[in-house]
Amino acid sequence: TQAAPARSAAAAVRNPMRQLIELLILRPELHELVNRQELAAARTVGSVRPEEIALLDALLDAFGQSVTIRVGEYFRGTEFESAVREIEASVLNRPEAGFEETELKGQFVDNWQKLRQVVELDIRKTRHGILQQKLNQKQSLSPEEQAEYRVLVQSQITQHAP
């Protein structure tokens, strides 16, 4: 007997970014729901894979030109060719392939919101770390930084409350 083929790392986890990519390949017109500035902010987040951001960005560019682009052909010979081919093949077997337009749009918006939350949380953690480091080094915070620090600490307390 032969061993089953190994699944690629990209297919292994369907995080919000991966789901956005899949839904976009299923329904290219969903590209109109994306705020590209928010995608740019995701590039600074360590928990979001850079290759997924790059692929989503490339898909948004392609579908911005035309929603009828055949992504397999469009990305042939590029760094995204194998990922697009794999996603195209797998996405047709997903339950989402048979979903109604409004259902897909809802899923897309939900996943975009999750991505935004990941970005916002990462930015807050980074900013909190910077201000905490200043305090640890006995540096004084400006009044604006003090107010920001209080808000960040309060948001951490709120997030960890039962």
Side-chain angles (χ1 to χ4, degrees):
T1 61
Q2 288 185 337
R7 293 181 53 150
S8 76
V13 177
R14 293 187 70 223
N15 59 42
M17 182 66 79
R18 172 66 181 220
Q19 290 178 30
L20 285 167
I21 291 167
E22 291 176 354
L23 291 167
L24 198 55
I25 286 177
L26 267 178
R27 296 290 186 277
E29 56 278 2
L30 293 172
H31 83 279
E32 297 172 357
L33 303 175
V34 173
N35 179 333
R36 297 292 288 271
Q37 290 177 331
E38 291 173 351
L39 183 60
R43 293 182 188 279
T44 66
V45 178
S47 63
V48 179
R49 295 173 45 193
E51 61 274 13
E52 289 181 333
I53 296 171
L55 176 55
L56 181 58
D57 201 31
L59 287 168
L60 292 170
D61 282 342
F63 295 139
Q65 294 171 32
S66 170
V67 294
T68 59
I69 281 178
R70 300 169 105 178
V71 291
E73 292 176 24
Y74 184 85
F75 290 107
R76 184 173 292 133
T78 71
E79 64 184 294
F80 304 114
E81 180 180 7
S82 63
V84 167
R85 193 176 318 129
E86 176 203 332
I87 293 167
E88 262 190 319
S90 70
V91 82
L92 295 175
N93 297 323
R94 295 223 176 269
E96 292 92 336
F99 285 5
E100 295 293 321
E101 202 69 32
T102 54
E103 222 173 336
L104 288 173
K105 186 176 179 180
Q107 276 194 8
F108 191 85
V109 169
D110 288 348
N111 280 298
W112 190 260
Q113 184 62 31
K114 288 177 190 172
L115 177 63
R116 286 180 55 207
Q117 290 170 346
V118 166
V119 170
E120 290 167 10
L121 181 62
D122 190 77
I123 290 170
R124 283 196 306 269
K125 281 182 177 178
T126 300
R127 191 66 187 144
H128 180 267
I130 290 168
L131 295 174
Q132 186 66 52
Q133 186 175 10
K134 274 183 139 181
L135 288 172
N136 291 345
Q137 295 173 351
K138 307 289 188 232
Q139 296 177 16
S140 61
L141 300 180
S142 70
E144 294 83 12
E145 288 174 325
Q146 289 174 16
E148 180 184 9
Y149 185 74
R150 280 192 296 273
V151 168
L152 290 169
V153 168
Q154 186 60 43
S155 72
Q156 275 189 325
I157 293 168
T158 306
Q159 286 175 350
H160 292 93

